[in-house]
Amino acid sequence: QERAKREREEKLAREAEEEAARRWELEREEREAREAREREEAWAAVVQAVLGKDEDLALDRLAFLGDYAPEFLTRHAGPGGASVLHLAVCRDLGRVIEAVLEA
């Protein structure tokens, strides 16, 4: 009887650990998805800021992207496949040009 009780307790403990691991994994996946959405939104804001010649906003959103910026900077951002660098050069946004080249 004591052995059966101990086995039930061990089984419950294992199940609790497995459930905690599943919850942790789900939370991690949700966090990663949210962060990816936030980066996509920041990138869209960079493009719109450069198109609208809002250098401060473009720099702020580029800073938000941080280490992910190079991944986004290779994307087409304007007509004919123009990059953000091209758009910044056309609009004479010197600080954005510098930030893009440094990324």
Side-chain angles (χ1 to χ4, degrees):
Q1 201 174 17
E2 189 65 32
R3 180 178 175 187
K5 181 181 175 186
R6 188 175 63 243
E7 288 174 356
R8 280 193 307 274
E9 289 173 353
E10 289 173 357
K11 181 181 177 191
L12 288 174
R14 275 193 311 276
E15 289 172 352
E17 287 176 10
E18 290 169 358
E19 180 61 26
R22 281 191 295 275
R23 271 189 274 121
W24 183 86
E25 183 65 21
L26 181 61
E27 290 170 0
R28 183 188 61 77
E29 290 171 358
E30 289 172 350
R31 183 177 58 252
E32 288 176 356
R34 184 185 70 249
E35 291 171 353
R37 282 191 307 275
E38 290 171 353
R39 287 190 298 272
E40 290 292 337
E41 291 169 3
W43 173 245
V46 167
V47 172
Q48 290 305 309
V50 170
L51 291 171
K53 297 184 180 181
D54 187 341
E55 196 166 36
D56 290 332
L57 179 59
L59 290 170
D60 177 71
R61 298 294 70 201
L62 279 171
F64 175 83
L65 288 171
D67 292 340
Y68 292 94
E71 164 188 334
F72 287 92
L73 292 172
T74 59
R75 293 183 179 183
H76 300 296
S83 67
V84 163
L85 179 59
H86 181 113
L87 296 174
V89 168
C90 292
R91 286 158 180 78
D92 196 30
L93 301 176
R95 292 184 300 151
V96 174
I97 294 166
E98 184 179 325
V100 168
L101 293 175
E102 290 176 356

